[in-house]
Amino acid sequence: MSERTSGREAAPDASGTAPCPPARGWAGRGRWPSAVTVVPAALALAVGLWDLDGPPLWRDEAATVSAAVRTLPQLAHLLRSVDAVHGLYYALMHVVVGVFGTAEVALRLPSVLAGALAAAGTGALGRALGLPRAGLYGGTLLALMPIFSRYVQEARPYPMTTAAAVGVTLLLLRVLRSPTPAALAGYAVALTALAYLNLFAFLVAGAHGVVVVLSRGRFARWACATAAASVAVAPLAWLGSGQGAQVSWIRRPEAADVGRLAVQMFGDLGATTPPRWPGLAPTAPLGVPALTALGVAPPAWALTLLGLALGLVSAIRAARAASGAVAGGAEWRGAGGSRGYAALVRVTLPWLLVPATVLLAASWAAHPVYVFRYVLCCVPAAALLAGAGLAALPTGVAVAALAAWIGLSVPGQLATRGPDGRQDDPRPVLALLASTARPGDGVMFVPAKVRKYVTVYPSVFGRLSDVALAWSPERDGSFAGREVGPRLLAARLAGLRTLWVVGHTGKAGLTGRRLDVVTRAFVPAGRWTSRGLYAERYEARDDTRTQRSNGAGVGK
């Protein structure tokens, strides 16, 4: 069903760009403008609060806790050496922690609220483009996306970045319609705030430049506002460039990552685990085997294909509107009715494609910097594009497609709240330490930044002696702290009965001189592994303990 519009088009303003007309038809009903934003926000809030404290805090969230509990001078000391790009977020979380504490719900609630704002803003974008129904559908799809829930339910800055990207895009539309000094200043300030939440999100400005060109807006005025924001962001970029070790772990993307990007942009987790529905593969339609080869489960690829199909419907409507305008010799830069689809596609496609393309190209040509969460702020564009596709369909078909979307998203929603929903599941290792480790036992962390968990779980690690620690992370201005050398470590190990080594799986364990120091005084007595984390127990060398520990717990 097409959007209902009035018979009169809005007159172009001085820039030559027709502003969006007042919403009419459904949009003109008293309750519709609020429904466009309130319904997506309420859905996003409900989905975000669902089992919010279920997934345990993982290593990145532990970094948030470690930073947020510090005093402001200690936080500034940290940001001079690491994670400067997250400084604004850590400062905000410092206030949250100071008021509400470090419980999982308290830490994650700001992200949930940001997710609700992003969904509401997506609805508002559709309405601003003259397609309120597309905004309602788009905001709803965003709220129900498993990939959106995955990041909304963690104490990291990416949901706030997504909400900020939506807000900046709304301000861009205001600039296109009326490039007044106030509008340009507001846009520049918002763009600066976006970059301080996530430096890579500043690439959205590049997408906006494409939108301005396609819309034949006042490019020079937009460029001046963007240049002012760039100057404000330059100190952060300079400081962040000196902390390149923070992204040294990122691997160069492969072709499969591009396919997985499409899956993630249209809502699913893009899991890399083998699919668990092998019976469906032989009868899969064209295109599905390629997605299955990426390790994407059938509900995920079905959700992707549905999203792509809806986006294609939007593109077709936009192309028809453009060709009709050209044939009639009319401008088609405005919004409302069929022309609203052209405006919507001009806004969403650059937003969807430019940041990810730039990061992928930089990763292949120079240094790997692409990680999906860095382009999470582009997901509302995919949601709005798919929402416009739903709005272009007859009501019955649109309802059926929306129901299919909801059904296909359920496995992803359950997965993100399950034991494999995060990179780490530290609960089994923590339960082991809580029940088995004795007060005064030694503990070492491999690598040292695993020490972040001490702040998150003080009841577990506070009973243990951190034998390798020389300077605390707060004093050192780091997450890892500074550790002692082998001689002092050997002296600290003397007299200990039990030593625990806690580390990240997939990383090298104790090596070199530290391993020699430990094995001279201790023998292995067990190893326990959970998702992302492991614990090793060493017992002091003496005849009794050596006999008792032979094989005890090893490999468990």
Side-chain angles (χ1 to χ4, degrees), residues 331-359:
E331 293 285 350
W332 58 280
R333 287 173 287 167
S338 296
R339 295 196 304 172
Y341 283 89
L344 186 143
V345 170
R346 285 198 305 274
V347 170
T348 55
L349 276 185
W351 183 6
L352 183 64
L353 298 176
V354 170
T357 300
V358 171
L359 285 183

PDB file of all heavy atoms in Angstrom, residues 331-359:
ATOM      1  N   GLU A 331      11.196  18.273 -10.672  1.00  0.00           N
ATOM      2  CA  GLU A 331      12.186  17.981  -9.640  1.00  0.00           C
ATOM      3  C   GLU A 331      11.692  16.809  -8.806  1.00  0.00           C
ATOM      4  O   GLU A 331      10.491  16.686  -8.558  1.00  0.00           O
ATOM      5  CB  GLU A 331      12.386  19.205  -8.748  1.00  0.00           C
ATOM      6  CG  GLU A 331      13.026  20.385  -9.458  1.00  0.00           C
ATOM      7  CD  GLU A 331      14.503  20.192  -9.679  1.00  0.00           C
ATOM      8  OE1 GLU A 331      15.067  19.227  -9.122  1.00  0.00           O
ATOM      9  OE2 GLU A 331      15.101  20.987 -10.415  1.00  0.00           O
ATOM     10  N   TRP A 332      12.595  15.979  -8.350  1.00  0.00           N
ATOM     11  CA  TRP A 332      12.184  14.869  -7.479  1.00  0.00           C
ATOM     12  C   TRP A 332      13.028  14.840  -6.222  1.00  0.00           C
ATOM     13  O   TRP A 332      13.210  13.807  -5.604  1.00  0.00           O
ATOM     14  CB  TRP A 332      12.271  13.534  -8.220  1.00  0.00           C
ATOM     15  CG  TRP A 332      13.622  13.196  -8.756  1.00  0.00           C
ATOM     16  CD1 TRP A 332      14.188  13.664  -9.884  1.00  0.00           C
ATOM     17  CD2 TRP A 332      14.576  12.285  -8.184  1.00  0.00           C
ATOM     18  NE1 TRP A 332      15.437  13.121 -10.065  1.00  0.00           N
ATOM     19  CE2 TRP A 332      15.692  12.267  -9.042  1.00  0.00           C
ATOM     20  CE3 TRP A 332      14.589  11.485  -7.046  1.00  0.00           C
ATOM     21  CZ2 TRP A 332      16.811  11.493  -8.778  1.00  0.00           C
ATOM     22  CZ3 TRP A 332      15.705  10.699  -6.790  1.00  0.00           C
ATOM     23  CH2 TRP A 332      16.798  10.710  -7.655  1.00  0.00           C
ATOM     24  N   ARG A 333      13.501  16.002  -5.811  1.00  0.00           N
ATOM     25  CA  ARG A 333      14.366  16.058  -4.643  1.00  0.00           C
ATOM     26  C   ARG A 333      13.585  16.161  -3.349  1.00  0.00           C
ATOM     27  O   ARG A 333      14.137  16.052  -2.278  1.00  0.00           O
ATOM     28  CB  ARG A 333      15.333  17.245  -4.763  1.00  0.00           C
ATOM     29  CG  ARG A 333      16.403  17.014  -5.785  1.00  0.00           C
ATOM     30  CD  ARG A 333      17.214  18.253  -6.001  1.00  0.00           C
ATOM     31  NE  ARG A 333      16.445  19.247  -6.752  1.00  0.00           N
ATOM     32  CZ  ARG A 333      16.807  20.513  -6.878  1.00  0.00           C
ATOM     33  NH1 ARG A 333      17.901  20.938  -6.287  1.00  0.00           N
ATOM     34  NH2 ARG A 333      16.086  21.361  -7.577  1.00  0.00           N
ATOM     35  N   GLY A 334      12.330  16.414  -3.424  1.00  0.00           N
ATOM     36  CA  GLY A 334      11.520  16.541  -2.220  1.00  0.00           C
ATOM     37  C   GLY A 334      11.115  15.196  -1.677  1.00  0.00           C
ATOM     38  O   GLY A 334      11.594  14.162  -2.080  1.00  0.00           O
ATOM     39  N   ALA A 335      10.184  15.195  -0.745  1.00  0.00           N
ATOM     40  CA  ALA A 335       9.714  13.982  -0.118  1.00  0.00           C
ATOM     41  C   ALA A 335       8.206  14.011  -0.095  1.00  0.00           C
ATOM     42  O   ALA A 335       7.563  14.980  -0.446  1.00  0.00           O
ATOM     43  CB  ALA A 335      10.280  13.859   1.297  1.00  0.00           C
ATOM     44  N   GLY A 336       7.631  12.920   0.342  1.00  0.00           N
ATOM     45  CA  GLY A 336       6.189  12.787   0.392  1.00  0.00           C
ATOM     46  C   GLY A 336       5.723  11.934  -0.768  1.00  0.00           C
ATOM     47  O   GLY A 336       6.153  12.069  -1.907  1.00  0.00           O
ATOM     48  N   GLY A 337       4.837  10.954  -0.496  1.00  0.00           N
ATOM     49  CA  GLY A 337       4.322  10.093  -1.545  1.00  0.00           C
ATOM     50  C   GLY A 337       5.416   9.264  -2.173  1.00  0.00           C
ATOM     51  O   GLY A 337       6.371   8.850  -1.528  1.00  0.00           O
ATOM     52  N   SER A 338       5.279   9.039  -3.484  1.00  0.00           N
ATOM     53  CA  SER A 338       6.255   8.213  -4.191  1.00  0.00           C
ATOM     54  C   SER A 338       7.646   8.828  -4.148  1.00  0.00           C
ATOM     55  O   SER A 338       8.652   8.126  -4.075  1.00  0.00           O
ATOM     56  CB  SER A 338       5.819   8.011  -5.644  1.00  0.00           C
ATOM     57  OG  SER A 338       4.604   7.282  -5.703  1.00  0.00           O
ATOM     58  N   ARG A 339       7.686  10.172  -4.195  1.00  0.00           N
ATOM     59  CA  ARG A 339       8.995  10.820  -4.174  1.00  0.00           C
ATOM     60  C   ARG A 339       9.693  10.624  -2.838  1.00  0.00           C
ATOM     61  O   ARG A 339      10.905  10.757  -2.732  1.00  0.00           O
ATOM     62  CB  ARG A 339       8.838  12.302  -4.484  1.00  0.00           C
ATOM     63  CG  ARG A 339       8.336  12.552  -5.899  1.00  0.00           C
ATOM     64  CD  ARG A 339       8.553  13.969  -6.330  1.00  0.00           C
ATOM     65  NE  ARG A 339       7.925  14.918  -5.399  1.00  0.00           N
ATOM     66  CZ  ARG A 339       8.109  16.224  -5.467  1.00  0.00           C
ATOM     67  NH1 ARG A 339       8.906  16.731  -6.390  1.00  0.00           N
ATOM     68  NH2 ARG A 339       7.515  17.030  -4.615  1.00  0.00           N
ATOM     69  N   GLY A 340       8.914  10.317  -1.797  1.00  0.00           N
ATOM     70  CA  GLY A 340       9.525  10.032  -0.509  1.00  0.00           C
ATOM     71  C   GLY A 340      10.433   8.825  -0.568  1.00  0.00           C
ATOM     72  O   GLY A 340      11.443   8.751   0.140  1.00  0.00           O
ATOM     73  N   TYR A 341      10.101   7.848  -1.414  1.00  0.00           N
ATOM     74  CA  TYR A 341      10.958   6.668  -1.544  1.00  0.00           C
ATOM     75  C   TYR A 341      12.307   7.041  -2.148  1.00  0.00           C
ATOM     76  O   TYR A 341      13.344   6.512  -1.740  1.00  0.00           O
ATOM     77  CB  TYR A 341      10.262   5.607  -2.397  1.00  0.00           C
ATOM     78  CG  TYR A 341       9.194   4.871  -1.639  1.00  0.00           C
ATOM     79  CD1 TYR A 341       7.881   5.331  -1.614  1.00  0.00           C
ATOM     80  CD2 TYR A 341       9.496   3.734  -0.912  1.00  0.00           C
ATOM     81  CE1 TYR A 341       6.904   4.676  -0.901  1.00  0.00           C
ATOM     82  CE2 TYR A 341       8.523   3.059  -0.184  1.00  0.00           C
ATOM     83  CZ  TYR A 341       7.228   3.544  -0.182  1.00  0.00           C
ATOM     84  OH  TYR A 341       6.264   2.897   0.545  1.00  0.00           O
ATOM     85  N   ALA A 342      12.280   7.939  -3.122  1.00  0.00           N
ATOM     86  CA  ALA A 342      13.551   8.379  -3.706  1.00  0.00           C
ATOM     87  C   ALA A 342      14.404   9.078  -2.654  1.00  0.00           C
ATOM     88  O   ALA A 342      15.614   8.836  -2.542  1.00  0.00           O
ATOM     89  CB  ALA A 342      13.283   9.320  -4.887  1.00  0.00           C
ATOM     90  N   ALA A 343      13.776   9.933  -1.839  1.00  0.00           N
ATOM     91  CA  ALA A 343      14.517  10.623  -0.789  1.00  0.00           C
ATOM     92  C   ALA A 343      15.041   9.646   0.248  1.00  0.00           C
ATOM     93  O   ALA A 343      16.176   9.759   0.723  1.00  0.00           O
ATOM     94  CB  ALA A 343      13.619  11.678  -0.128  1.00  0.00           C
ATOM     95  N   LEU A 344      14.204   8.678   0.601  1.00  0.00           N
ATOM     96  CA  LEU A 344      14.623   7.697   1.605  1.00  0.00           C
ATOM     97  C   LEU A 344      15.803   6.861   1.122  1.00  0.00           C
ATOM     98  O   LEU A 344      16.755   6.619   1.867  1.00  0.00           O
ATOM     99  CB  LEU A 344      13.438   6.800   1.966  1.00  0.00           C
ATOM    100  CG  LEU A 344      13.657   5.806   3.108  1.00  0.00           C
ATOM    101  CD1 LEU A 344      12.391   5.657   3.949  1.00  0.00           C
ATOM    102  CD2 LEU A 344      14.065   4.433   2.579  1.00  0.00           C
ATOM    103  N   VAL A 345      15.768   6.428  -0.120  1.00  0.00           N
ATOM    104  CA  VAL A 345      16.872   5.633  -0.659  1.00  0.00           C
ATOM    105  C   VAL A 345      18.139   6.469  -0.750  1.00  0.00           C
ATOM    106  O   VAL A 345      19.244   5.986  -0.472  1.00  0.00           O
ATOM    107  CB  VAL A 345      16.486   5.035  -2.029  1.00  0.00           C
ATOM    108  CG1 VAL A 345      17.705   4.418  -2.717  1.00  0.00           C
ATOM    109  CG2 VAL A 345      15.396   3.975  -1.854  1.00  0.00           C
ATOM    110  N   ARG A 346      18.014   7.764  -1.109  1.00  0.00           N
ATOM    111  CA  ARG A 346      19.185   8.626  -1.165  1.00  0.00           C
ATOM    112  C   ARG A 346      19.829   8.779   0.208  1.00  0.00           C
ATOM    113  O   ARG A 346      21.040   8.950   0.313  1.00  0.00           O
ATOM    114  CB  ARG A 346      18.800  10.017  -1.702  1.00  0.00           C
ATOM    115  CG  ARG A 346      18.556  10.066  -3.187  1.00  0.00           C
ATOM    116  CD  ARG A 346      18.627  11.506  -3.692  1.00  0.00           C
ATOM    117  NE  ARG A 346      17.720  12.395  -2.970  1.00  0.00           N
ATOM    118  CZ  ARG A 346      16.439  12.587  -3.280  1.00  0.00           C
ATOM    119  NH1 ARG A 346      15.907  11.899  -4.290  1.00  0.00           N
ATOM    120  NH2 ARG A 346      15.698  13.429  -2.597  1.00  0.00           N
ATOM    121  N   VAL A 347      19.032   8.742   1.259  1.00  0.00           N
ATOM    122  CA  VAL A 347      19.574   8.878   2.610  1.00  0.00           C
ATOM    123  C   VAL A 347      20.143   7.564   3.113  1.00  0.00           C
ATOM    124  O   VAL A 347      21.240   7.516   3.689  1.00  0.00           O
ATOM    125  CB  VAL A 347      18.485   9.408   3.569  1.00  0.00           C
ATOM    126  CG1 VAL A 347      18.951   9.317   5.024  1.00  0.00           C
ATOM    127  CG2 VAL A 347      18.114  10.835   3.221  1.00  0.00           C
ATOM    128  N   THR A 348      19.423   6.471   2.913  1.00  0.00           N
ATOM    129  CA  THR A 348      19.803   5.201   3.552  1.00  0.00           C
ATOM    130  C   THR A 348      20.943   4.479   2.851  1.00  0.00           C
ATOM    131  O   THR A 348      21.810   3.905   3.529  1.00  0.00           O
ATOM    132  CB  THR A 348      18.591   4.264   3.638  1.00  0.00           C
ATOM    133  OG1 THR A 348      18.013   4.082   2.336  1.00  0.00           O
ATOM    134  CG2 THR A 348      17.532   4.821   4.582  1.00  0.00           C
ATOM    135  N   LEU A 349      20.979   4.479   1.526  1.00  0.00           N
ATOM    136  CA  LEU A 349      22.018   3.700   0.838  1.00  0.00           C
ATOM    137  C   LEU A 349      23.433   4.206   1.138  1.00  0.00           C
ATOM    138  O   LEU A 349      24.317   3.406   1.463  1.00  0.00           O
ATOM    139  CB  LEU A 349      21.751   3.660  -0.665  1.00  0.00           C
ATOM    140  CG  LEU A 349      20.769   2.593  -1.150  1.00  0.00           C
ATOM    141  CD1 LEU A 349      20.691   2.578  -2.672  1.00  0.00           C
ATOM    142  CD2 LEU A 349      21.143   1.211  -0.635  1.00  0.00           C
ATOM    143  N   PRO A 350      23.714   5.507   1.033  1.00  0.00           N
ATOM    144  CA  PRO A 350      25.062   5.950   1.417  1.00  0.00           C
ATOM    145  C   PRO A 350      25.376   5.651   2.881  1.00  0.00           C
ATOM    146  O   PRO A 350      26.507   5.245   3.204  1.00  0.00           O
ATOM    147  CB  PRO A 350      25.026   7.457   1.147  1.00  0.00           C
ATOM    148  CG  PRO A 350      23.946   7.647   0.146  1.00  0.00           C
ATOM    149  CD  PRO A 350      22.909   6.619   0.478  1.00  0.00           C
ATOM    150  N   TRP A 351      24.421   5.859   3.754  1.00  0.00           N
ATOM    151  CA  TRP A 351      24.599   5.570   5.180  1.00  0.00           C
ATOM    152  C   TRP A 351      24.906   4.097   5.398  1.00  0.00           C
ATOM    153  O   TRP A 351      25.776   3.726   6.196  1.00  0.00           O
ATOM    154  CB  TRP A 351      23.324   5.987   5.893  1.00  0.00           C
ATOM    155  CG  TRP A 351      23.304   5.848   7.385  1.00  0.00           C
ATOM    156  CD1 TRP A 351      24.336   5.498   8.216  1.00  0.00           C
ATOM    157  CD2 TRP A 351      22.175   6.064   8.230  1.00  0.00           C
ATOM    158  NE1 TRP A 351      23.916   5.472   9.526  1.00  0.00           N
ATOM    159  CE2 TRP A 351      22.592   5.823   9.558  1.00  0.00           C
ATOM    160  CE3 TRP A 351      20.851   6.440   7.993  1.00  0.00           C
ATOM    161  CZ2 TRP A 351      21.714   5.941  10.632  1.00  0.00           C
ATOM    162  CZ3 TRP A 351      19.983   6.566   9.067  1.00  0.00           C
ATOM    163  CH2 TRP A 351      20.425   6.326  10.383  1.00  0.00           C
ATOM    164  N   LEU A 352      24.256   3.247   4.646  1.00  0.00           N
ATOM    165  CA  LEU A 352      24.458   1.813   4.789  1.00  0.00           C
ATOM    166  C   LEU A 352      25.800   1.356   4.239  1.00  0.00           C
ATOM    167  O   LEU A 352      26.447   0.464   4.808  1.00  0.00           O
ATOM    168  CB  LEU A 352      23.317   1.083   4.061  1.00  0.00           C
ATOM    169  CG  LEU A 352      23.268  -0.444   4.134  1.00  0.00           C
ATOM    170  CD1 LEU A 352      23.036  -0.909   5.559  1.00  0.00           C
ATOM    171  CD2 LEU A 352      22.146  -0.960   3.223  1.00  0.00           C
ATOM    172  N   LEU A 353      26.255   1.972   3.145  1.00  0.00           N
ATOM    173  CA  LEU A 353      27.392   1.440   2.392  1.00  0.00           C
ATOM    174  C   LEU A 353      28.717   2.150   2.655  1.00  0.00           C
ATOM    175  O   LEU A 353      29.766   1.496   2.699  1.00  0.00           O
ATOM    176  CB  LEU A 353      27.084   1.486   0.891  1.00  0.00           C
ATOM    177  CG  LEU A 353      25.888   0.654   0.412  1.00  0.00           C
ATOM    178  CD1 LEU A 353      25.651   0.885  -1.070  1.00  0.00           C
ATOM    179  CD2 LEU A 353      26.111  -0.825   0.697  1.00  0.00           C
ATOM    180  N   VAL A 354      28.702   3.468   2.808  1.00  0.00           N
ATOM    181  CA  VAL A 354      29.959   4.204   2.827  1.00  0.00           C
ATOM    182  C   VAL A 354      30.854   3.845   4.014  1.00  0.00           C
ATOM    183  O   VAL A 354      32.035   3.513   3.831  1.00  0.00           O
ATOM    184  CB  VAL A 354      29.704   5.724   2.763  1.00  0.00           C
ATOM    185  CG1 VAL A 354      30.987   6.512   3.033  1.00  0.00           C
ATOM    186  CG2 VAL A 354      29.144   6.101   1.398  1.00  0.00           C
ATOM    187  N   PRO A 355      30.379   3.900   5.281  1.00  0.00           N
ATOM    188  CA  PRO A 355      31.298   3.588   6.387  1.00  0.00           C
ATOM    189  C   PRO A 355      31.887   2.192   6.306  1.00  0.00           C
ATOM    190  O   PRO A 355      33.097   2.009   6.514  1.00  0.00           O
ATOM    191  CB  PRO A 355      30.407   3.757   7.624  1.00  0.00           C
ATOM    192  CG  PRO A 355      29.352   4.731   7.204  1.00  0.00           C
ATOM    193  CD  PRO A 355      29.060   4.367   5.786  1.00  0.00           C
ATOM    194  N   ALA A 356      31.052   1.195   6.009  1.00  0.00           N
ATOM    195  CA  ALA A 356      31.565  -0.178   5.938  1.00  0.00           C
ATOM    196  C   ALA A 356      32.558  -0.335   4.793  1.00  0.00           C
ATOM    197  O   ALA A 356      33.596  -0.997   4.939  1.00  0.00           O
ATOM    198  CB  ALA A 356      30.401  -1.155   5.762  1.00  0.00           C
ATOM    199  N   THR A 357      32.271   0.273   3.644  1.00  0.00           N
ATOM    200  CA  THR A 357      33.172   0.169   2.494  1.00  0.00           C
ATOM    201  C   THR A 357      34.523   0.797   2.801  1.00  0.00           C
ATOM    202  O   THR A 357      35.582   0.244   2.458  1.00  0.00           O
ATOM    203  CB  THR A 357      32.537   0.847   1.268  1.00  0.00           C
ATOM    204  OG1 THR A 357      31.295   0.209   0.963  1.00  0.00           O
ATOM    205  CG2 THR A 357      33.466   0.755   0.066  1.00  0.00           C
ATOM    206  N   VAL A 358      34.515   1.956   3.456  1.00  0.00           N
ATOM    207  CA  VAL A 358      35.770   2.625   3.788  1.00  0.00           C
ATOM    208  C   VAL A 358      36.595   1.786   4.757  1.00  0.00           C
ATOM    209  O   VAL A 358      37.812   1.615   4.582  1.00  0.00           O
ATOM    210  CB  VAL A 358      35.490   4.020   4.385  1.00  0.00           C
ATOM    211  CG1 VAL A 358      36.770   4.635   4.943  1.00  0.00           C
ATOM    212  CG2 VAL A 358      34.885   4.937   3.325  1.00  0.00           C
ATOM    213  N   LEU A 359      35.952   1.236   5.795  1.00  0.00           N
ATOM    214  CA  LEU A 359      36.694   0.423   6.759  1.00  0.00           C
ATOM    215  C   LEU A 359      37.234  -0.849   6.126  1.00  0.00           C
ATOM    216  O   LEU A 359      38.370  -1.260   6.405  1.00  0.00           O
ATOM    217  CB  LEU A 359      35.803   0.080   7.951  1.00  0.00           C
ATOM    218  CG  LEU A 359      35.536   1.207   8.954  1.00  0.00           C
ATOM    219  CD1 LEU A 359      34.691   0.698  10.112  1.00  0.00           C
ATOM    220  CD2 LEU A 359      36.835   1.802   9.476  1.00  0.00           C
TER     221      LEU A 359
END
